[in-house]
Amino acid sequence: MADCIRALAIDAVEAAKSGHPGMPMGMADAATVLFSRFVKFDAADPRWPDRDRFVLSAGHGSMLLYSLLHLTGHAGMGIPELKRFRQLHSPAAGHPEFGEHPGIETTTGPLGQGIATSVGMALAERLLAARFGKSLVDHRTWVIASDGDLQEGVSHEAASLAGHLALSKLTVLWDDNSISIDGDTALSFTDDTLKRFQAYGWAVRRVDGHDHEAVAAALTWAQRSRKPTLIACRTIIGFGAPTKAGTAGSHGAPLGEKEATGAKSAMGWNHPAFEVPEGLRERWATVGSRGAGARRSWLKRLANHPQRDEFERAVVGKLPEGWHLPLAALRARHAEEKPKIATRIASQRALEALVPAVPEMVGGSADLTGSNNTNVKGVPSVAPGNFAGRYIHYGVREHGMAAAMNGMALHGGIIPYSGTFLVFSDYMRPAIRLAALMRQRAIHVLTHDSIGLGEDGPTHQPVEHVASFRAMPNVFVFRPADAMETAECWELALRRADGPSLLALSRQNLPALRTDAGENRCARGGYVLEEASGPRRATLIATGSEVHLAQAARTALEADGIPTALVSLPCWELFALQDESYRAEVLGSGLRVGVEALIGFGWERWLGPDGIFIGMTGFGASAPAEHLFKHFGITTDAIVAAVRKKLG
């Protein structure tokens, strides 16, 4: 049965003239044992909510996963698809891509991301089991990871968190083959990996990855463990290849006709390319239907479960009835009280309205709870052995946090949100990019969003980060100007089910600019906050904490007889989706002036060739915020002077 995987991997890589045959050949034995005896799944329903999750963290070995999906009888991964491995529009892409086939649980390829994402999946299982009970939620998360996965820093962060939380239903099979692209891993890697994972709080074991019974015994042991488990499967990369087995030569290139023929001969495999003999095909088909009984039993339990409707709603990601009503009440209160508060504080007030109304929202922070204001009074924290909470202390592990959030979102039934400083989004970028690629709802609260954070200085003052995320496809960046806009942006982030949302929020207090609580004006991305008194000569366009500066400048310009409009542009991505006539109406035909305490990269899109940008041109400095705005020329007076000079 394992040789079926090896043969298909060899054939597909040869046909594509590119790919990674070595890892599927080396891990075929362990994967066969795992799927034939341990993974709970039913090929007839690959999205069954209580299935076990399988993550191929070593995504370059994608033919291992595609072979398993094909052999177990998953529709949509037939021989024609395998023959088009790594070709345009094939579900068998170079690296596994979520959404290309229902049996692919997550996009992998960037090493470390898969194992870190799996921690979120295992955590989501525990959280949902605490909410709905073991009769509906009782499954495991299995991972195949490579040497490279365990070298990447994000895997260290995620493994540490998993050990701390004692995620006992998480098992990682490490393809311990000691080979990386450059050659033997000893070139760069002499860790005692098992001791390291033991120190994280994992249970560990080493086995011969080609000994089926030894692998099975280790997996049985893992099922009984009260800790997450790491099984080091000692394997030979390119197992069976005459000259390339055990070498980097089998890692990332076709074996070549002679080597491929030799490998098949060593296996005693005498079948044409892409052909699986009927007897073996039947044995694999039996594996694919092995979980059918368990799925039917689960469906009966679901049908009679008192929380059935709530479970099904949460799993498909539908928000509860009336979830927005507490937020509407908050907006009405903002309109009346006009609070002068930081948008990070306004965000916490929005969360106080939303979290009780949306029970699948699970928050957290990377050790900055008091600064990010992501906690809600009365909502308990998640702790080892207690998964009834809804707030996670991720520790100083931003990358691991964002990757785990992706896993929670992919698992279903959880809407994760996090907190850290905007400047530390640099540490999260690969995971946010994958959330965007996989179209997953993950919400990141990113506070201290400009030089306005003040004395902590340029290391903590983000200047280029917002521009870089605006450049990332399918990411929505919200930078609200006051408490009202913050509530509106939270509503939009939560409604958005097809990608991540980032809320860039101020440390400093900001005045209330809006007293209308009806329409969600941020929903169009940008809008005219104050119209000019006559035909526009200038339009001031600002975001976030600079809108009130632009408002004061508009007042001064109007007093000078220069008809000036004020535009708030909290979400460029939503604004770009509006029709051209609306955008032209908002931006106007006069002089356009952009104001943002960040670098101006990208602003030319809205300002045109004759526009002016007032903002940062380099890094910040350490000083009180009001001194910094004056020092860098981001002031009402500077805006007024620039407009006057340009208009003559």
Side-chain angles (χ1 to χ4, degrees):
M1 290 172 74
D3 287 343
C4 297
I5 296 173
R6 293 188 179 101
L8 287 173
I10 291 170
D11 293 340
V13 173
E14 290 298 311
K17 298 183 174 57
S18 73
H20 300 74
M23 186 280 225
M25 294 170 71
M27 279 301 282
D29 293 301
T32 300
V33 173
L34 177 65
F35 270 76
S36 63
R37 303 195 207 177
F38 293 91
V39 180
K40 180 176 72 172
F41 75 105
D42 182 359
D45 185 2
R47 305 304 292 173
W48 162 37
D50 201 39
R51 69 192 180 279
D52 284 0
R53 270 48 171 191
F54 171 70
V55 173
L56 182 67
S57 192
H60 56 275
S62 57
M63 268 310 300
L64 178 70
L65 176 57
Y66 303 148
S67 298
L68 287 164
L69 292 175
H70 169 70
L71 292 165
T72 53
H74 282 74
M77 196 60 80
I79 291 297
E81 284 77 19
L82 297 186
K83 285 182 175 178
R84 293 192 298 112
F85 175 54
R86 296 173 75 95
Q87 306 308 304
L88 189 63
H89 304 312
S90 171
H95 293 83
E97 293 183 27
F98 176 79
E100 290 297 320
H101 186 279
I104 299 171
E105 298 284 2
T106 181
T107 297
T108 55
L111 291 176
Q113 290 294 329
I115 183 173
T117 300
S118 74
V119 170
M121 292 179 177
L123 179 52
E125 190 273 345
R126 294 287 75 206
L127 294 169
L128 290 175
R131 180 179 173 190
F132 294 108
K134 193 175 179 179
S135 66
L136 288 189
V137 185
D138 184 16
H139 52 267
R140 303 186 64 87
T141 303
W142 308 93
V143 183
I144 287 180
S146 63
D147 292 300
D149 282 298
L150 302 190
Q151 290 179 19
E152 285 286 2
V154 67
S155 73
H156 295 235
E157 293 182 25
S160 176
L161 180 65
H164 167 72
L165 291 173
L167 297 177
S168 60
K169 299 174 89 170
L170 172 64
T171 296
V172 176
L173 287 81
W174 166 31
D175 179 19
D176 180 18
N177 62 32
S178 297
I179 294 294
S180 61
I181 292 175
D182 281 359
D184 195 297
T185 53
L187 288 167
S188 61
F189 188 65
T190 48
D191 300 14
D192 187 327
T193 300
L194 296 189
K195 282 185 179 176
R196 174 159 64 85
F197 272 75
Q198 272 186 314
Y200 290 146
W202 289 54
V204 300
R205 182 172 285 197
R206 189 182 297 280
V207 298
D208 177 348
H210 301 297
D211 182 333
H212 296 176
E213 292 312 313
V215 172
L219 292 170
T220 300
W221 162 81
Q223 288 180 316
R224 295 194 300 264
S225 175
R226 294 185 178 182
K227 299 176 179 181
T229 47
L230 176 72
I231 301 170
C233 301
R234 191 68 180 143
T235 62
I236 298 170
I237 191 171
F239 183 81
T243 66
K244 294 184 178 181
T247 74
S250 65
H251 170 82
L255 294 179
E257 185 179 350
K258 183 179 178 183
E259 190 81 3
T261 300
K264 288 184 176 182
S265 178
M267 291 188 279
W269 191 269
N270 304 311
H271 312 286
F274 293 103
E275 183 176 302
V276 177
E278 198 54 42
L280 288 173
R281 187 169 286 286
E282 287 172 7
R283 289 174 68 184
W284 269 113
T286 301
V287 171
S289 60
R290 185 172 54 85
R295 181 174 66 89
R296 284 194 295 270
S297 297
W298 180 85
L299 286 169
K300 288 176 186 174
R301 294 196 301 275
L302 176 66
N304 298 314
H305 200 283
Q307 293 173 282
R308 174 186 176 175
D309 291 346
E310 185 72 353
F311 177 82
E312 290 181 332
R313 179 195 63 72
V315 165
V316 299
K318 184 182 177 186
L319 295 168
E321 289 291 326
W323 67 272
H324 59 287
L325 296 177
L327 201 60
L330 175 68
R331 290 175 57 211
R333 201 157 69 247
H334 285 335
E336 186 181 338
E337 296 173 359
K338 306 176 186 60
K340 183 179 180 179
I341 54 176
T343 49
R344 62 175 174 147
I345 303 293
S347 170
Q348 186 169 42
R349 293 187 184 179
L351 285 169
E352 287 167 351
L354 288 169
V355 170
V358 185
E360 48 273 25
M361 286 182 73
V362 174
S365 172
D367 197 47
L368 288 168
T369 296
S371 296
N372 303 145
N373 303 96
T374 41
N375 58 322
V376 173
K377 191 175 180 181
V379 173
S381 296
V382 173
N386 178 15
F387 295 97
R390 290 170 57 197
Y391 191 81
I392 301 165
H393 294 279
Y394 285 102
V396 188
R397 303 184 182 101
E398 293 90 352
H399 197 175
M401 173 176 72
M405 288 169 64
N406 289 351
M408 294 159 79
L410 286 159
H411 179 281
I414 303 285
I415 300 174
Y417 71 91
S418 76
T420 188
F421 290 171
L422 176 58
V423 77
F424 300 137
S425 63
D426 280 338
Y427 291 141
M428 307 159 72
R429 178 172 303 277
I432 293 175
R433 185 176 189 271
L434 281 184
L437 188 59
M438 295 188 288
R439 309 187 78 80
Q440 293 301 299
R441 176 164 48 193
I443 304 171
H444 297 282
V445 174
L446 302 169
T447 69
H448 297 57
D449 72 339
S450 74
I451 59 167
L453 71 88
E455 293 86 343
D456 277 343
T459 59
H460 283 53
Q461 291 166 6
V463 292
E464 78 279 20
H465 300 68
V466 165
S468 68
F469 280 114
R470 285 171 177 158
M472 190 179 283
N474 200 39
V475 175
F476 280 18
V477 182
F478 296 95
R479 192 164 186 254
D482 68 354
M484 183 70 75
E485 282 199 355
T486 304
E488 291 181 348
C489 290
W490 254 114
E491 180 184 341
L492 297 167
L494 201 56
R495 283 190 190 278
R496 183 174 194 236
D498 62 350
S501 296
L502 279 51
L503 288 99
L505 305 173
S506 75
R507 177 194 182 220
Q508 70 273 31
N509 290 337
L510 303 176
L513 302 174
R514 292 260 307 279
T515 57
D516 56 304
E519 174 195 358
N520 184 330
R521 301 186 74 188
C522 291
R524 302 189 79 172
Y527 61 95
V528 178
L529 184 57
E530 295 177 358
E531 189 49 272
S533 57
R536 287 191 208 178
R537 294 195 65 202
T539 302
L540 308 182
I541 309 161
T543 78
S545 53
E546 288 68 69
V547 176
H548 79 279
L549 299 177
Q551 184 187 47
R554 176 198 172 270
T555 301
L557 289 165
E558 284 278 351
D560 277 357
I562 302 173
T564 303
L566 172 65
V567 168
S568 178
L569 203 64
C571 182
W572 288 21
E573 294 77 24
L574 281 172
F575 190 63
L577 293 174
Q578 308 307 307
D579 60 78
E580 193 174 334
S581 61
Y582 174 78
R583 295 201 306 268
E585 180 188 338
V586 169
L587 298 175
S589 57
L591 171 65
R592 297 177 186 176
V593 182
V595 187
E596 193 170 55
L598 307 168
I599 62 165
F601 190 85
W603 269 93
E604 61 278 357
R605 179 179 187 181
W606 311 123
L607 302 181
D610 300 319
I612 301 170
F613 177 73
I614 293 171
M616 299 294 292
T617 55
F619 294 112
S622 176
E626 59 272 21
H627 297 174
L628 292 173
F629 277 93
K630 190 172 182 181
H631 173 73
F632 289 109
I634 308 170
T635 63
T636 294
D637 288 346
I639 299 167
V640 171
V643 172
R644 284 177 180 156
K645 182 178 179 183
K646 186 79 171 181
L647 293 178

